[in-house]
Amino acid sequence: MNKNESRFWRKMTTASLSLAFLLSSVTAKAQTSLDARNIMERVYGQDTSHDFTMKADFEVYDRQGQSTKKEFTYMRIGTPEDQKTLVAFTAPKEIRGVVLLSINQQRTAANQAAANQAAANQAAANQAAASQYVYTPATERVRSVVQQERSARFIGTDFTFEDIGEGVLEEFNYKRIGDADSIDGHKTYKIEATPVEQGRSQYKYIYYWVAQDVPVILFAEFYDAQGHKVRVLHATTLKRENGVWGARHTEMRTVADGTRTVLTINGVKFNTKPDEKLFTPQGMAEVLGNSAGK
Amino acid sequence: MISALWQITFRQWGTHRLRVAMTTLGIALGVAVYFAIRTANAALLDSLTVTVERLAGKSTLEVSAGETGFPEAALDTVRATPGVKLAEPVIEVIANTAFQDEGSLLILGVDTTGDQQLREYEFDRSQTQVADPLTYLAEANSILLSRSFAERHGLKIGDHFPLFTAHGKMSFAVEGIFKPTGVGEVFGGNIAVMDVYSAQVVFGRGHNFDRIDLVNAPGVSVNDLQKRLQQRLPAGLEVERPETKGQSLENAVTAMRLGMMITSFIALLVGVYIIFNSFTIAVNQRWKEIGILRAVGVERGNINAMFLVEAMVMGIVGSAVGVAAGYYLAIGASAAMGSIAASVYGIVSTEVAPKLHWDYALTAFGLGVAASIGGAWMPSRAASYLNPILALHNIEARQKESALGWGRALFGAALLALSVLLIEYSPSGVGLTFQLSYAALMLIGLTILLPMLVHWAARAVRPIMDMVGGSEGALAVDAMIQSPRRSAATVGALMVGLMSVYSTAAYIQSYKQMVSRWTTELLNSDIVVTSSTLLRSSSYHFSEDLGKKFETLPGVREVENVRFTLVPYEGDSAAIVSIEMPGFLKRSMNGIKGGDPQKLWTMMPRGEGVIASKNFAVRWRYKVGDRVHLDTPTGPLELPILGIVEDYRSDKGTIFMDRAVYKRYWNDDAVDFIDVELKPGQDPNVVKREVQSVTNGTEHALVYTKLEFKGWIDTLVDKFFMLNYMQLVVAVIVAVAGIANTLVISVAERHREFGIIRSIGGYRAQIRKMVLLEALSIAVVGVFVGAIAALFNTEFLSRTVSTVLAGYDVPFYFPWLLILETLPAVIAVSLLAGWIPARHAMQASVIEAIGYE
């Protein structure tokens, strides 16, 4: 698979995984002696739970300030090496019942090489990544889905697939460039992230402001290949759940368009042991009924 | 010597500017029509190619199964085939909008999450690609529109608009607008994109796709991948390069293109007649001059060359003008052909401006020059063989023309007889070029016979003209009789035009009678409900639910669902009509020939046999008892032919089978026609209204009673022949131009004669009357010989052309009534064409006219 592209729905289903990253579990105590990578590692620390469920919504504002809201339930089971995630949209009615499933098996070096070798063959490529599905109730169909550009918008929000995608930590080099700024009452580290390889990111560089007292990104600015600021992220309402810190409101603003999207997390549960049959293409149609009560 | 002769020619041109201008215009007209039609043909093919390319995007191969589609499981097979880089499913639908203008919209059902790698969509930059991709995928009625369509109907993102689907009228939500480039340029910009799985639902395609577009992996050749896929997929699925599809579309419009080419040749032929006519007159005018030249020692060859060079120069000028005019004429012709392709053949095309093809221009130019020289050949030869002694006498002492010789007449008759023999008895597989030569033989034969025919016809008309027109009438006919070569040329132009009119009318009339018999025998339901204003829609269908609703109506006894589609057959295609057989057999048994009725009754409803149309049987040399092998999307199907019917809905031939068999093998339950049978004593008009109350506002359905259906079929036949009507218009224009040209030249030639009549006391009005009566005589004689020519041409059309284009011959019918009806119109047109020359003759000065030579 082209490294400049990510799997459309895999990213989609891992969107909330990134949100979970924002809730990532680290020790609460700030450690000012950390270097930039250490700081980011703490932000992107692993969630050790067997499964994770949350209810959230995206509220998308157009340039006139009118908004539309999409509510969804996110479920994950398994470890990052063998992980299955579901996103079931619950509102509005136009998208109610749409379910996205991603079955992720983290590639080892060996199967990555095999996949790269077979990248030209869709059969092999499908086999390597035939693990993203979408269920649409209007057609009552489950189908596998294909790639999207990393810079494409995620389901019409101001987040791009790259913004919400996985593997962010390894794909960038980090430099701590300040610690004097204070945001929403939190002292912050200002970190500059630049892509390890040109072309792997839509961005030339990103500035992060990470709270010094809790491991959460409070603010970020994203700069495109020409060095223009294209997006601004602002996270608020920090909460700790099951030892994991995170923001309950995250706003992403697109500078040029004047549009913005607010992600609001309304409830988080760990280790509820959902029915694993739901995490199969055959079980997707049942997801909404099962997840609705959770 | 040549230089001196050229000066003489040049002086003649100065004296006879009008003749030169009209002759050059005649060539220009022929060349223009020929070049325009070739250019328009090329533009149509370009348009089809562009459409195929745009719709195919970057795909290097396509998997399809005719119009029926195929089970979507094939997609997994294709994607699992080594060497396939990318494979995307497609559904194509031409859906009817429920707008006031009832325009249609080409809907491309694709998987947009991956399809942008294959096809070019440019979304409106002011929008964010698809407004909400999730809603777009989630809602089956979400659609993306080309900007041109959206603007035409004032639609913007978030708006809703109505479309007729397999489930009736549905409201569609505009989720995105894309720029009219790439795919957006197809079908005049009336294009929309929707999710392929949503398209399956709303357009009743079940779990079928119409097509899979795929791209080969780097390092894998397209040919190798094509073979690999063919081995893995069922035989009923075709794996083709996209450009092959363009070829299939070209084949579909072959009849139209051929028809247009025939029109252009007619125009050229008339151009040759005009040249022939003009030079015959020129030789007559310059009789004395030629005699003098010959007397002073100018050789025959030089005289011949003088006229031929003159013809060549006229040809060069006329052809150059014709090519230039033809290019602009091609713009209109191209639009007309595109319109016919869309409305008659249901072919989606993209507007492509005609290009200037230099090879066509040079060919048209060369043909124009050759036609000029060819047309002047006989008169030039006649001039060069002129006896100088006779020629030096006064013009009234011209030697008798040899055009009426019996040897010549026998030769013409022999050619005509040969063409008739070939039309009647030659085998159908000898090739189109050879078959077209039958018509050429016929025309050459008629042309050779023409002076004699004109002579006899004029002699027959003379007493009538003498009685009706007095001495002027007799003089007018005498002018024709005394100059059979010139008269033949004039009448020849008229003959070609009228022959075209009469034989086309005869052909259409014969076709309509044949179709009438067909509708009586096979399409004889009490009420017919159709999904299209054309004979069928290749992509818009009803669902079976609609028929079930009709069954609940009180006056309805029985309902039959009919599917009419094209499937691949033996490297070409064949039509399939699948229908619930018991009802069909009850209605149509009398129309089925050659089969055992008992077998038909028992085996057909069980799906154990097929009925073949006559043209299918002729085309593939089948007879009752032979077995037809069909490769279906789910596997091979082989069934015996149990009967033959006359059926004219497809020029590819039709196979009738039980609907259950079709549904099983093609996995397709779509419905194109619903035949409704009424309970005894029910008023069809009352039940029709009940049926309409079910469909009104919800379905794009046309409901006909038996009688109305026949009328509708007649309308479709008229649409099919729209091209021929266009040909008639061209033929008539060219014929009228020919008459006008000839009369102008005739008046110029008889300048002195008119002067003499005036000098001995003739009135101006008498001169005008003479010219007009000559025009009338030409018209009457033209109708006569035109009718004779049409007899032969109708036979050619109804046997040879019909068999070539449609696979069946059409019963001969000749429109005697039409000929009588058109006579006044032809006379009126001729009088109109003769009016200006008549005025010109009337106003000439006597002194000047007498001193003319």
Side-chain angles (χ1 to χ4, degrees):
Chain A
M1 187 175 77
N2 185 343
K3 288 189 175 181
N4 287 326
E5 295 172 338
S6 57
R7 292 277 167 191
F8 178 86
W9 295 112
R10 184 176 178 178
K11 293 298 186 188
M12 199 156 180
T13 53
T14 53
S16 295
L17 191 62
S18 291
L19 308 176
F21 284 158
L22 295 174
L23 295 161
S24 56
S25 62
V26 288
T27 56
K29 190 178 177 185
Q31 295 191 26
T32 52
S33 60
L34 294 174
D35 68 11
R37 186 170 175 87
N38 292 143
I39 293 165
M40 295 307 289
E41 274 176 356
R42 285 174 177 278
V43 172
Y44 291 125
Q46 297 293 311
D47 174 8
T48 56
S49 61
H50 166 266
D51 62 82
F52 167 73
T53 304
M54 74 171 182
K55 289 182 185 296
D57 64 69
F58 280 119
E59 191 151 15
V60 184
Y61 293 84
D62 65 16
R63 68 180 75 186
Q64 283 80 36
Q66 293 180 320
S67 69
T68 52
K69 189 190 269 190
K70 292 186 180 77
E71 296 173 15
F72 60 91
T73 298
Y74 168 82
M75 291 190 283
R76 169 189 55 78
I77 57 169
T79 61
E81 290 76 26
D82 184 13
Q83 179 177 273
K84 295 172 182 174
T85 56
L86 279 169
V87 179
F89 288 89
T90 53
K93 65 176 175 48
E94 290 83 16
I95 58 168
R96 181 179 161 77
V98 176
V99 180
L100 315 170
L101 167 66
S102 176
I103 303 170
N104 290 338
Q105 289 185 312
Q106 203 172 64
R107 285 173 178 164
T108 61
N111 71 24
Q112 180 65 61
N116 288 344
Q117 196 175 11
N121 186 319
Q122 186 164 356
N126 284 345
Q127 219 163 23
S131 52
Q132 288 78 46
Y133 303 91
V134 60
Y135 169 77
T136 48
T139 56
E140 296 182 334
R141 302 292 299 273
V142 174
R143 55 172 143 156
S144 58
V145 291
V146 292
Q147 306 163 357
Q148 277 283 310
E149 293 288 333
R150 297 185 72 155
S151 58
R153 287 182 176 228
F154 172 68
I155 58 167
T157 68
D158 289 270
F159 293 90
T160 68
F161 285 92
E162 182 178 354
D163 301 333
I164 57 169
E166 61 188 331
V168 175
L169 186 67
E170 291 76 21
E171 290 180 0
F172 286 83
N173 294 319
Y174 301 97
K175 191 166 78 176
R176 191 167 139 186
I177 57 173
D179 52 14
D181 295 338
S182 183
I183 293 173
D184 299 334
H186 298 270
K187 289 188 73 177
T188 62
Y189 300 115
K190 185 177 181 184
I191 290 170
E192 182 188 76
T194 51
V196 172
E197 285 176 31
Q198 285 299 320
R200 286 192 64 171
S201 171
Q202 63 184 303
Y203 302 118
K204 190 176 183 181
Y205 51 90
I206 304 167
Y207 291 140
Y208 291 116
W209 281 263
V210 182
Q212 290 184 9
D213 54 345
V214 289
V216 175
I217 296 168
L218 296 178
F219 201 82
E221 291 176 351
F222 302 83
Y223 292 82
D224 68 10
Q226 287 73 44
H228 299 130
K229 186 160 70 181
V230 286
R231 287 184 191 83
V232 175
L233 178 144
H234 187 188
T236 56
T237 319
L238 308 189
K239 275 195 179 176
R240 191 180 186 199
E241 188 79 41
N242 208 31
V244 179
W245 276 98
R248 290 295 189 262
H249 294 277
T250 305
E251 180 183 288
M252 180 69 100
R253 186 162 54 85
T254 304
V255 176
D257 294 354
T259 57
R260 64 195 173 95
T261 300
V262 177
L263 170 69
T264 304
I265 296 170
N266 300 310
V268 178
K269 288 179 183 172
F270 292 91
N271 298 320
T272 56
K273 294 193 171 33
D275 184 352
E276 293 203 11
K277 279 191 286 188
L278 300 177
F279 292 80
T280 62
Q282 295 76 24
M284 290 173 77
E286 311 296 324
V287 170
L288 202 60
N290 280 272
S291 68
K294 294 202 182 276
Chain B
M1 175 64 73
I2 294 295
S3 167
L5 293 177
W6 175 246
Q7 279 190 359
I8 294 168
T9 298
F10 199 69
R11 185 171 52 77
Q12 282 289 333
W13 284 6
T15 313
H16 303 289
R17 286 189 293 273
L18 191 60
R19 177 177 69 84
V20 171
M22 291 300 282
T23 307
T24 310
L25 204 62
I27 304 163
L29 183 63
V31 169
V33 172
Y34 174 81
F35 179 62
I37 286 176
R38 276 205 83 179
T39 305
N41 256 331
L44 177 67
L45 297 189
D46 285 348
S47 153
L48 296 178
T49 307
V50 167
T51 305
V52 168
E53 283 174 1
R54 295 265 159 80
L55 289 176
K58 295 167 190 160
S59 58
T60 49
L61 283 171
E62 289 182 0
V63 177
S64 62
E67 295 174 357
T68 60
F70 51 86
E72 62 185 28
L75 181 62
D76 293 333
T77 309
V78 171
R79 282 181 168 165
T81 302
V84 173
K85 184 184 173 193
L86 192 66
E88 296 298 337
V90 180
I91 282 180
E92 264 181 38
V93 181
I94 297 177
N96 297 289
T97 66
F99 289 127
Q100 288 274 311
D101 64 359
E102 293 190 336
S104 51
L105 182 65
L106 173 65
I107 296 175
L108 212 55
V110 295
D111 185 352
T112 35
T113 61
D115 201 76
Q116 286 195 51
Q117 293 176 60
L118 269 178
R119 263 169 283 274
E120 182 189 355
Y121 311 98
E122 285 193 12
F123 291 95
D124 191 321
R125 286 181 191 279
S126 66
Q127 305 296 333
T128 54
Q129 293 191 322
V130 180
D132 187 338
L134 202 58
T135 309
Y136 167 71
L137 278 184
E139 294 278 281
N141 65 340
S142 296
I143 200 162
L144 314 178
L145 293 179
S146 73
R147 172 178 269 185
S148 50
F149 181 85
E151 285 179 350
R152 258 198 297 281
H153 295 91
L155 295 168
K156 56 187 186 304
I157 288 178
D159 285 351
H160 286 72
F161 73 101
L163 274 176
F164 287 106
T165 70
H167 309 290
K169 189 160 82 172
M170 274 180 70
S171 178
F172 280 74
V174 182
E175 287 292 333
I177 290 175
F178 56 95
K179 284 189 175 177
T181 57
V183 170
E185 284 178 308
V186 174
F187 204 47
N190 287 342
I191 186 163
V193 172
M194 64 185 293
D195 179 60
V196 67
Y197 297 97
S198 299
Q200 281 182 332
V201 172
V202 299
F203 293 106
R205 298 300 172 86
H207 285 195
N208 281 6
F209 295 135
D210 289 346
R211 203 170 78 221
I212 295 171
D213 289 348
L214 60 102
V215 176
N216 55 312
V220 179
S221 84
V222 175
N223 285 344
D224 288 348
L225 183 58
Q226 188 176 14
K227 283 177 197 155
R228 208 175 289 167
L229 284 164
Q230 274 165 340
Q231 284 165 358
R232 288 179 165 225
L233 293 167
L237 272 66
E238 293 180 318
V239 184
E240 293 175 315
R241 289 169 180 262
E243 53 267 31
T244 316
K245 190 181 172 192
Q247 185 61 53
S248 305
L249 292 177
E250 282 182 39
N251 292 342
V253 293
T254 298
M256 175 175 70
R257 295 174 54 220
L258 195 65
M260 292 301 264
M261 284 309 290
I262 291 170
T263 304
S264 69
F265 278 113
I266 288 174
L268 261 185
L269 194 65
V270 174
V272 173
Y273 267 105
I274 291 172
I275 294 283
F276 171 74
N277 174 283
S278 171
F279 275 83
T280 303
I281 289 165
V283 170
N284 286 344
Q285 282 175 339
R286 295 161 66 183
W287 213 261
K288 231 175 185 176
E289 178 187 294
I290 295 164
I292 293 166
L293 288 172
R294 293 281 292 118
V296 298
V298 177
E299 293 172 351
R300 288 182 197 281
N302 285 329
I303 297 289
N304 199 12
M306 179 177 76
F307 281 101
L308 290 181
V309 167
E310 187 179 340
M312 191 177 73
V313 172
M314 281 186 185
I316 288 169
V317 175
S319 300
V321 172
V323 167
Y327 179 70
Y328 291 99
L329 193 61
I331 295 168
S334 176
M337 287 174 80
S339 161
I340 295 167
S343 63
V344 175
Y345 298 94
I347 287 177
V348 172
S349 60
T350 311
E351 199 172 318
V352 172
K355 285 184 211 152
L356 180 61
H357 292 261
W358 285 105
D359 50 341
Y360 294 175
L362 286 174
T363 309
F365 184 84
L367 270 175
V369 175
S372 301
I373 294 171
W377 187 265
M378 292 294 286
S380 304
R381 196 168 168 276
S384 65
Y385 278 88
L386 194 63
N387 182 337
I389 299 165
L390 284 174
L392 283 169
H393 280 76
N394 282 338
I395 196 159
E396 289 79 7
R398 290 169 190 168
Q399 66 190 75
K400 192 181 176 194
E401 293 189 63
S402 63
L404 301 177
W406 280 104
R408 182 190 166 98
L410 281 174
F411 181 59
L415 287 182
L416 204 55
L418 179 62
S419 79
V420 171
L421 284 173
L422 287 168
I423 289 167
E424 295 296 322
Y425 300 110
S426 76
S428 57
V430 294
L432 185 63
T433 311
F434 189 69
Q435 284 167 317
L436 284 176
S437 72
Y438 307 164
L441 277 178
M442 180 184 74
L443 279 173
I444 294 169
L446 281 168
T447 306
I448 293 171
L449 277 174
L450 197 57
M452 191 166 268
L453 285 174
V454 171
H455 182 78
W456 289 340
R459 289 180 78 89
V461 165
R462 193 180 185 280
I464 303 167
M465 292 298 291
D466 192 15
M467 195 167 65
V468 174
S471 57
E472 294 92 338
L475 280 171
V477 178
D478 284 345
M480 283 183 71
I481 293 170
Q482 282 161 13
S483 186
R485 203 187 286 272
R486 173 177 62 79
S487 305
T490 313
V491 173
L494 195 58
M495 176 191 78
V496 171
L498 290 176
M499 175 190 78
S500 188
V501 172
Y502 296 150
S503 55
T504 304
Y507 182 68
I508 293 171
Q509 195 60 40
S510 304
Y511 198 93
K512 281 187 172 175
Q513 285 196 349
M514 183 184 78
V515 167
S516 172
R517 196 176 64 226
W518 167 50
T519 50
T520 306
E521 288 179 347
L522 286 194
L523 307 176
N524 50 9
S525 300
D526 295 325
I527 287 175
V528 180
V529 184
T530 77
S531 60
S532 171
T533 51
L534 304 175
L535 188 55
R536 70 194 183 94
S537 163
S538 60
S539 58
Y540 174 73
H541 316 290
F542 298 133
S543 77
E544 290 183 342
D545 293 340
L546 188 59
K548 286 178 188 154
K549 287 181 192 168
F550 296 158
E551 279 175 335
T552 62
L553 296 172
V556 173
R557 175 171 57 84
E558 196 173 1
V559 165
E560 294 157 23
N561 291 306
V562 185
R563 178 79 166 104
F564 170 32
T565 189
L566 285 178
V567 298
Y569 187 78
E570 298 286 337
D572 198 331
S573 61
I576 284 189
V577 170
S578 67
I579 186 167
E580 279 118 9
M581 270 296 157
F584 172 72
L585 291 175
K586 259 185 264 174
R587 286 188 291 109
S588 311
M589 201 62 183
N590 288 341
I592 303 170
K593 315 288 180 204
D596 176 354
Q598 190 58 39
K599 274 189 179 176
L600 284 163
W601 277 114
T602 52
M603 292 173 72
M604 283 303 297
R606 294 206 302 253
E608 293 169 352
V610 296
I611 298 167
S613 72
K614 190 178 161 191
N615 59 334
F616 179 82
V618 168
R619 191 167 184 219
W620 300 104
R621 296 187 172 82
Y622 282 129
K623 58 186 185 305
V624 171
D626 288 345
R627 298 180 75 81
V628 174
H629 179 95
L630 291 157
D631 286 319
T632 78
T634 57
L637 171 66
E638 193 171 292
L639 291 169
I641 296 176
L642 300 177
I644 305 284
V645 288
E646 288 203 20
D647 188 89
Y648 305 106
R649 69 190 93 195
S650 170
D651 57 358
K652 302 287 183 188
T654 307
I655 301 165
F656 291 75
M657 67 174 65
D658 188 65
R659 186 166 165 81
V661 178
Y662 173 79
K663 281 165 68 175
R664 190 162 68 244
Y665 278 87
W666 275 269
N667 201 20
D668 173 17
D669 62 359
V671 178
D672 296 304
F673 295 87
I674 301 174
D675 293 340
V676 180
E677 299 301 319
L678 306 187
K679 288 174 181 166
Q682 293 292 323
D683 182 347
N685 291 310
V686 173
V687 181
K688 178 190 165 181
R689 282 195 289 277
E690 288 172 359
V691 169
Q692 281 174 326
S693 69
V694 174
T695 60
N696 272 355
T698 58
E699 301 280 349
H700 186 262
L702 297 105
V703 186
Y704 302 99
T705 61
K706 194 187 292 185
L707 200 63
E708 289 168 341
F709 188 62
K710 275 192 159 195
W712 178 69
I713 293 276
D714 272 352
T715 314
L716 282 182
V717 171
D718 281 336
K719 263 191 185 171
F720 182 76
F721 285 111
M722 187 167 80
L723 172 71
N724 299 71
Y725 295 134
M726 281 175 58
Q727 287 176 15
L728 295 190
V729 172
V730 172
V732 168
I733 290 170
V734 172
V736 170
I739 297 170
N741 185 29
T742 306
L743 286 173
V744 166
I745 295 165
S746 172
V747 166
E749 181 198 2
R750 294 160 65 198
H751 206 65
R752 188 163 185 266
E753 184 184 327
F754 295 143
I756 291 167
I757 293 171
R758 286 289 317 283
S759 67
I760 59 171
Y763 296 114
R764 286 181 194 277
Q766 282 180 304
I767 302 294
R768 184 177 61 196
K769 189 177 170 187
M770 265 179 65
V771 175
L772 290 177
L773 285 175
E774 187 181 347
L776 190 143
S777 307
I778 288 171
V780 172
V781 174
V783 167
F784 171 70
V785 292
I788 290 174
L791 272 172
F792 293 99
N793 199 44
T794 304
E795 187 63 5
F796 174 70
L797 288 176
S798 57
R799 287 188 74 88
T800 309
V801 174
S802 182
T803 307
V804 167
L805 299 183
Y808 45 77
D809 56 350
V810 175
F812 186 94
Y813 163 84
F814 200 71
W816 296 108
L817 196 62
L818 176 77
I819 291 168
L820 291 175
E821 283 168 356
T822 54
L823 185 59
V826 176
I827 289 171
V829 169
S830 299
L831 290 176
L832 207 64
W835 185 255
I836 293 173
R839 279 181 63 84
H840 189 71
M842 187 176 81
Q843 288 163 356
S845 148
V846 177
I847 307 293
E848 190 184 305
I850 291 173
Y852 183 70
E853 292 191 28

